[in-house]
């Protein structure tokens, strides 16, 4: 029950940040069909974190609940001021004209965040790969009154690494009062949900803006949902190839032609489930290249769903919603 309440608190905070930044988002993205509604959540999180970072870096704010609330109020005040300068009713028109797109985006965000929080609850350990390092950064920021944060490995020094993404997660952690071990997994779920809604907004706006879909109000919404699934959920075909290889389907010539590492040899089992150690890892290293001397070169080609399944809070994962 505590974990459910923790997830609800994170959901509520990001919704509040989205509402705080919504007038600004509607103003900045006024030429988009959805006026940037789905972009308000990452925008609010980004700007509130930036105000906190700037204030705590120059000694004007403390990295505390008070400093965070003040940063959110600053963003809200600026957002409201910029919107009211024009004295228009874009916000009311948005709710009236795009209510189905708004409802779909909110439903998509809530479902994605809830489902991925549920998944992380079954796989919550912060061990292996880079998770301990990332968890160290999160805790170091939480223990720093000002910025740059303390280095968790070199006492007396500051983190010599780009840490703003972890600062955003630390801000949500402190504001929600959730233990950092739970917050780490909620952060992965939040990034997944924001990536889903960011992709939805991008595709929805592209399709809605096309003249050929005028008069078909739900066409753009359906394409937006499909776009979010293609970006955040669908990966490459390597997993399906692993299953076929484990079952012994396909000739030796086919597998040699495919030239995927670990799949060139004859299978050692005759099951549908691969048994090779860390077989699922190969999906993130599909591109197989060689240098001029014929030596193997590994190319990392992680796709979003692999990263979300792995659960590492890499900077490239932290950046996904904001890139979109």
């Amino acid at each position: 029950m505590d974990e459910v309440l923790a997830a609800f608190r994170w959901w509520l905070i990001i919704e509040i940040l989205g509402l705080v930044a919504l007038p600004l988002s509607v103003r900045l993205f006024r030429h988009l069909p959805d006026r940037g509604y789905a972009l308000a959540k990452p925008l609010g999180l980004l700007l509130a974190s930036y105000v906190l970072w700037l204030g705590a870096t120059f000694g004007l704010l403390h990295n505390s609940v008070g400093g965070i609330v003040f940063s959110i109020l600053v963003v809200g005040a600026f957002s409201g001021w910029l919107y009211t300068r024009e004295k228009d009713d874009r916000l009311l028109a948005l709710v009236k004209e795009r209510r189905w797109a708004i409802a779909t985006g909110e439903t998509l965000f809530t479902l994605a965040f809830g489902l991925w929080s549920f998944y992380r609850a079954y796989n919550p350990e912060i061990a292996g790969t880079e998770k301990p390092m990332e968890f160290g950064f999160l805790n170091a920021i939480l223990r720093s009154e000002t910025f740059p944060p303390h280095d968790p490995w070199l006492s007396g020094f500051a983190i010599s690494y780009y840490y703003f993404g972890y600062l955003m997660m630390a801000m949500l952690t402190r504001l929600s009062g959730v233990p950092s071990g739970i917050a780490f997994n909620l952060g992965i779920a939040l990034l997944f949900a924001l990536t889903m809604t960011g992709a939805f907004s991008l595709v929805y706006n592209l399709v809605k803006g096309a003249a050929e879909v005028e008069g078909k109000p739900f066409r753009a919404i359906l394409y937006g949902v499909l776009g979010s699934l293609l970006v955040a959920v669908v990966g490459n075909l390597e997993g399906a190839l692993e299953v076929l290889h484990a079952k012994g389907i396909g000739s030796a010539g086919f597998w040699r032609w495919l030239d995927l590492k670990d799949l060139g040899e004859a299978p050692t089992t005759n099951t549908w489930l691969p048994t090779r150690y860390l077989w699922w890892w190969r999906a993130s290293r599909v591109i197989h290249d060689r240098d001029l001397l014929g030596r193997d070169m590994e190319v990392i080609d992680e796709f979003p769903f692999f990263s979300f399944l792995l659960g590492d809070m890499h900077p490239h994962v932290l950046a996904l919603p904001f890139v979109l």
Side-chain angles (χ1 to χ4, degrees):
M1 183 58 69
D2 290 342
E3 288 78 6
V4 174
L5 290 175
F8 174 75
R9 272 181 269 173
W10 270 59
W11 175 87
L12 183 61
I13 289 170
I14 199 67
E15 289 288 347
I16 292 173
L17 287 171
L19 289 174
V20 165
L22 183 58
L24 176 61
S25 185
V26 169
R27 173 68 182 148
L28 291 176
F29 304 109
R30 59 190 178 278
H31 297 300
L32 294 178
D34 76 344
R35 310 294 191 270
Y37 179 88
L39 305 178
K41 291 182 180 66
L43 182 64
L45 176 59
L46 179 71
L47 293 179
S49 301
Y50 184 73
V51 172
L52 176 67
W53 172 78
L54 206 61
T57 297
F58 286 99
L60 302 175
L61 294 174
H62 285 288
N63 180 25
S64 62
V65 172
I68 295 170
V69 171
F70 178 81
S71 301
I72 295 172
L73 291 175
V74 168
V75 174
F78 176 73
S79 178
W81 171 79
L82 189 64
Y83 180 81
T84 54
R85 283 182 63 203
E86 297 297 318
K87 299 186 184 302
D88 60 23
D89 59 349
R90 284 196 188 96
L91 200 54
L92 295 175
L94 169 65
V95 175
K96 182 179 178 180
E97 297 170 6
R98 299 287 185 260
R99 58 185 180 277
W100 287 109
I102 292 173
T104 303
E106 288 294 337
T107 302
L108 186 65
F109 173 78
T110 302
L111 283 176
F113 180 67
L115 289 174
W116 216 249
S117 298
F118 187 73
Y119 165 75
R120 292 304 306 166
Y122 279 92
N123 187 30
E125 69 275 6
I126 306 172
T129 57
E130 281 85 6
K131 292 185 185 71
M133 177 193 75
E134 295 150 359
F135 192 45
F137 283 150
L138 179 64
N139 284 305
I141 294 170
L142 288 170
R143 295 181 182 183
S144 303
E145 288 190 5
T146 57
F147 301 139
H150 304 307
D151 192 320
W153 287 280
L154 191 58
S155 180
F157 288 81
I159 292 177
S160 56
Y161 191 72
Y162 39 92
Y163 61 86
F164 188 74
Y166 301 105
L167 188 153
M168 288 190 287
M169 297 299 109
M171 187 187 80
L172 294 174
T173 302
R174 188 180 299 281
L175 193 59
S176 65
V178 173
S180 59
I182 297 175
F184 185 91
N185 288 295
L186 288 176
I188 298 295
L190 176 63
L191 293 168
F192 175 70
L194 290 177
T195 301
M196 290 280 286
T197 52
F200 168 80
S201 176
L202 181 62
V203 177
Y204 170 84
N205 284 309
L206 286 170
V207 176
K208 189 67 176 176
E212 61 267 22
V213 300
E214 289 300 325
K216 300 176 181 178
F218 294 102
R219 179 72 62 85
I221 293 176
L222 292 175
Y223 276 119
V225 173
L226 177 62
S228 69
L229 294 173
L230 289 174
V231 169
V233 177
V234 175
N236 56 39
L237 297 176
E238 202 278 338
L241 292 172
E242 289 277 2
V243 172
L244 295 177
H245 183 267
K247 191 61 177 175
I249 298 175
S251 65
F254 167 76
W255 293 109
R256 284 196 302 270
W257 167 79
L258 200 59
D259 194 27
L260 283 176
K261 286 184 68 175
D262 303 322
L263 296 185
E265 304 297 328
T268 57
T269 61
N270 187 30
T271 65
W272 289 108
L273 183 64
T275 57
R276 190 180 74 254
Y277 177 66
L278 288 180
W279 64 269
W280 50 272
W281 190 268
R282 179 54 51 200
S284 68
R285 308 293 191 273
V286 166
I287 298 177
H288 185 44
D289 206 354
R290 301 182 188 278
D291 63 16
L292 295 177
L293 299 177
R295 295 175 299 196
D296 180 69
M297 295 174 59
E298 183 174 81
V299 181
I300 300 175
D301 51 276
E302 286 191 22
F303 46 92
F305 196 61
F306 176 89
S307 301
F308 292 128
L309 280 172
L310 183 63
D312 279 2
M313 198 177 282
H314 287 307
H316 76 263
V317 179
L318 287 158
L320 277 170
F322 307 99
V323 171
L324 287 167

